[in-house]
Amino acid sequence: MATATQLLLAVLPLATIAILMVGFYWPATRAMPVAWIVAIAAGFVGWGMSPTWIAASSILGFITAANILYIVFGAILLLYTLKQTGAFDAINRGFASISDDRRVQVVLLVFLMGSFIEAAAGFGTPAAIVGPLLVGLGFPPLAAVVVALTGNLMAITFGAVGTPLIIGMIDVFGDVSFVNEAVQAQGMTVAEWVGNIAVFAATYHVIVGIAVPFIGVAMMTRFFGEERSIRPALEVVPLTLFAWASFAVPYWLTAYFLGPEFPGLLGSMVGLVVTVGALKAGYFHPNDDWDFGSRDTWPDHWVGDIEPGETQEDRDVGVAADGGVVRGGHGERMSLVKAWTPYALLAALLVLTRVWEPLTSFLTTTLVLEWGDILGTSLGDNIQLLYLPGAMFLAVHLVTIPLHDMDGEGIKDAWMETFEKMAPAVVALLFAVATVQIMLQSGTATGSDGMLIVLSNTMADFTGALYPFLAPWVGALGAFLAGSNTVSDILFGTFQYGVADSIGTPKTVMLGAQAVGGAIGNLIAVHNVVAALAVVGLVGHEGRVIRLELIPLVYYATFTGLLALLFSYVLFPGVF
């Protein structure tokens, strides 16, 4: 039985993050190291953790974070490689050529293309990429940010090729002995169990996400249209439903048959092909094109340093007659097929390395960095340099260099942009995961209930049977604080498991709701909002954006919570 002092100390690391980031607006790069120090103090004072166990837990956290950073680095490098070569310009112009209607462009570029970028790269990149594309097409920058943050919600849980579940749950739960033992008692490995969690997360998303494409369009017409009404959005409901179905069906089937790595990637790719094909065949086009009011009627706060339709990218890039791109000064023309080839190759590599057993076996046993019995403890982990998705991203980056005729300057710029984007994430992730590992291992080190178990037992006593409704809200809180679905799963995955165990509800259902909640919180994660505003020249309007993003957040968290209650007590009460 935990003492009141232990309960207070267990709360302190998470409270520190909340107070510093929300109350004092500290960035994660400053708040997470402080939380780590607080966790060390809590482990030492409240649990009697030895310096050796504290150091070993921190090292384990750094290794886990290195796995995440390796994936993220490769994903972002490929993303900026395609920006440098003009591939994204070609893709964007190809979509824009399909329709001049802003509502159709939101469905294609924000919901489908944004979901694809999230599935491939994750970590806040869709809004930072799609936002400028929309501004280049003539969207008010504030509108571009608001809809870009909203549209890729369904893909976030499976972002960066499944990183939130693979790293955020498989790696973490693999280090928790009582979880491992319970899962093995069910005749499963932790990886197989997290695959089941992925199916429930996809199920939540498919049901609640039916409104996501419509919400993106409706927020644009209601807050940025001349008429300030959702009526224009209602006119494209057939298109939003078709796009959702084209995405959702392969998305859910992929989660069920292939696991957590590919749902967002394959769902968005199939959705793009099917929806674009339907539009090109003449289906789902509105009777009249909808556009924003004239530029001189826009409020000043809609536009910052970058004028819509007049970005530097537009000045540097010429458009070919077929929707391809002529890069300024080079006379190079890129077709849509050539632009899409790197991501098609990436998808093929990822699937092949996961389903062809001989190749999987080779990659998982070659060039593996192992750490066992860290500092004489029972803790250990590894980095599979060839098997992690980061290796596939790097391989495709190398192929893209000759494929897209990149010069040395372009390669250098892609790497520099990647390092610039990665820098804030390195410190934040290292110390965030180290903090969680200290909280997790406090029980293992002392043979007692650790910090997160103490917190989950207390929450279970306080909320009782109603807790499943709160599970997505807790996941959203984690992502809001840390700015990452992955870190939210690391912070609160074991906590949610403990609550489910205490109140006797299915742990798989609860963790699925946590995975969805981590996606929801990204809508208002401060550093995501700041990054999205920065690339369209509107830094300083975070409050306006967050207030608007609360609309989809409340909708999504409420209905996910209701589904969690239904799944837990009516439909799937017997699930582990």
Side-chain angles (χ1 to χ4, degrees), residues 77-91 317 325-328 330 332-335 338-340 342 397 399-407 410-411 413-414 417:
L77 176 62
L78 180 58
L79 190 74
Y80 283 119
T81 297
L82 298 184
K83 280 189 68 182
Q84 285 293 326
T85 66
F88 267 111
D89 299 332
I91 291 167
V317 180
V325 170
V326 180
R327 297 299 294 176
H330 299 290
E332 181 187 346
R333 188 172 174 175
M334 184 175 292
S335 69
K338 188 175 180 179
W340 275 104
H397 160 72
V399 171
T400 303
I401 291 173
L403 179 68
H404 287 182
D405 299 321
M406 286 186 78
D407 57 21
I411 298 169
D413 288 345
E417 283 187 293

Side-chain angles (χ1 to χ4, degrees), residues 359-382:
L359 182 58
T360 301
S361 179
F362 172 77
L363 295 178
T364 54
T365 56
T366 306
L367 283 180
V368 178
L369 302 180
E370 299 260 10
W371 290 269
D373 300 326
I374 299 172
L375 301 182
T377 68
S378 59
L379 303 180
D381 203 351
N382 64 67

Side-chain angles (χ1 to χ4, degrees), residues 5 111 200 556:
T5 300
F111 176 62
F200 271 95
Y556 220 92

Side-chain angles (χ1 to χ4, degrees), residues 5 48 128 181 293 331 448 452 496 502:
T5 300
E181 291 166 6
S448 62
L452 290 173
Q496 303 259 29
S502 296

Side-chain angles (χ1 to χ4, degrees), residues 410-436:
I411 298 169
K412 175 186 172 184
D413 288 345
W415 279 79
M416 291 300 293
E417 283 187 293
T418 301
F419 281 120
E420 184 179 339
K421 175 72 174 176
M422 283 287 297
V426 173
V427 174
L429 275 171
L430 286 173
F431 286 98
V433 184
T435 298
V436 173

